[in-house]
Amino acid sequence: MDEQARIMQALGGVSLAGHSVQGGMALPPPHGHDGTDGDGRKQDIGDILHQIMTITDQSLDEAQAKKHGLNCHRMKPALFSVLCEIKEKTGLSIRGAQEEDSPDPQLMRLDNMLLAEGVSGPEKGGGSAAAAAAAAATGSPTDNSIEHSDYRAKLSQIRQIYHTELEKYEQACNEFTTHVMNLLREQSRTRPISPKEIERMVSIIHRKFSSIQMQLKQSTCEAVMILRSRFLDARRKRRNFSKQATEILNEYFYSHLSNPYPSEEAKEELAKKCSITVSQVRPHHPSMFHTSLLSNQTKYQTVSNWFGNKRIRYKKNIGKFQEEANLYAAKTAVTAAHAVAATVQNSQTNSPTTPNSGSSGSFNLLNSGDMFMSMQNLNGDSYQGAQVGANVQSQVDTLRHVISQTAGYNDALGGNPMYSPHGLNGNGGWQDATTPSSVISPIEGPGSVHSDTSN
DNA sequence: CGACATGATTAAAC
DNA sequence: GTTTAATCATGTCG
C-alpha cells in the first residue's frame, strides 16, 4: 500500500512535469485558493490520482461519493485535458492495433450445418406435431414413419433449445453492451472516450459473445449428429416392406415385365402408394447432413433398390418367380379387362381419353379398336408395339400372359414356364420397351428358360 | 439355430 | 447420372 502510494506520487509528478501542467495548461487560476505553493498542488493531484486508482477497492456508496467529489474538484478540468493529451498521443498506436474481423470458417461451417439440418433455418412443416399428424394421416402408419416422426420430434426439441439459448445469449449480449456503454458514457465525464472507442469496446463484447454462441452452435451440431447417427443406426436394421407394398411393387413389375424400369414419376407414385416414407429413404452414401438436400435420384432409392433387386433376381431364376408372375398377371388382367370395358364405354360416349401417366389404377388406351387389335394380334404373335403407348404396353404384357395361358400351349408341370419372359432378350437383358420388334416365340425350348433352381 | 428371403450397399460398366 | 451383379446384413420361418 505504501509502495502504491509512492508510485502514485511519482506518476503524478512525472506526468505533470512531462506535460507542462504547471505551465500553460488550463489549470484553474491559482488565486482561487490560498494554497498557492507548488508542493501543495502536487500533493493535491497525487491525492486525486490515488483516489481514482483505488476507487475499485471501495464500496459502491463510498465510490459514488468519491466520484462526485472528484467530478466537482477544482482540478478536474485540468486533469481531464491532460488525459486528453495523453490519449491523443497514445491513441494512434491503439488505432493501429485494430484488426479486421474476418468471417470465421469454422463458424460458417457450423451455420451451414445447422441450416442444412433445419435447426437454424425457417421452421418447416410446423414441427413435431405436424409430423405426428402426417404419420397418423397415412393409411397404415408403419414403424418407420413412427421412427421418423420421433426423429423429427427430437430434432425440433433440439431446435427449440437452440433458439431459446441463442435468444438468451443475444439478450445478455445486448444487456451487457448497453450496460458497458452507459458505464463508458458515465466515465467519459472523468476521462476522454471517443465514440470510436465505444464502438471498439462493443465489437469486442460482441466477439466474446459470438464465441460463446459458437460453442452453443457446436454443441447443437454435436447433438444433431448424435441423434442422426442413432437414427441411421436404427434404420440400418432392415425392415421388410408391408405386404401391401410388395404387392403394389410386384404388380407394377409384372405388368411392366417388358420394361421394368419405372420412371422417376412412377417411382414417386409407387413410393406414395406403398407408403414408403422418407424414413425409408436415405442417401446412397449415408453421410451426414444430406437428407434435407436429397436430390430426386436418391429420393426414391428404396423403390429403385427394390426394382434393382427384383430385376436381377427375376432374371437369375425365372422359374422360381413363375407362380408369382402368374398370380400378378392374372390380377392385373382383371383390372385391365375392366379398363378395356371402361374404355369401350368411354369411346361410345364420345369422350376422348386423356393421357394420365403414372396412375396405374386407371389405364389409358388409345382407343378400343387398337386394344382389340392388340389382343387379336397377340394370339397371332404379330403385334406391332411401336404404335402403342407405354401404358398400353403394360396391359399387353399382362394380357399376353393370360392369353398364353388360355392358348394352352405346353403344360404347367415340372416347373415349366407358363409364359416366356418376352421382355428378356437372349443376352439376359431387357429389350427396349418402345420397340418390341417381335415377340419371342412361345415355342421356345423349355430348357432355355426353366433350367436351374440351383443357386 | 440354420436356411432362406429380402432390403441395402458396393464396384464396375455403361 | 443409372444399372448390373455380387455381396452384406438382417428378418423370418420351421
Side-chain angles (χ1 to χ4, degrees), chain A residues 241-256:
Chain A
F241 292 166
S242 68
K243 242 185 162 156
Q244 289 158 296
T246 18
E247 214 152 284
I248 288 160
L249 291 168
N250 270 318
E251 232 165 75
Y252 187 97
F253 180 80
Y254 287 111
S255 63
H256 295 74

Side-chain angles (χ1 to χ4, degrees), chain A residues 15 122 137 149 208 248 323:
Chain A
S15 62
S149 74
K208 287 274 177 222
I248 288 160
E323 211 177 318

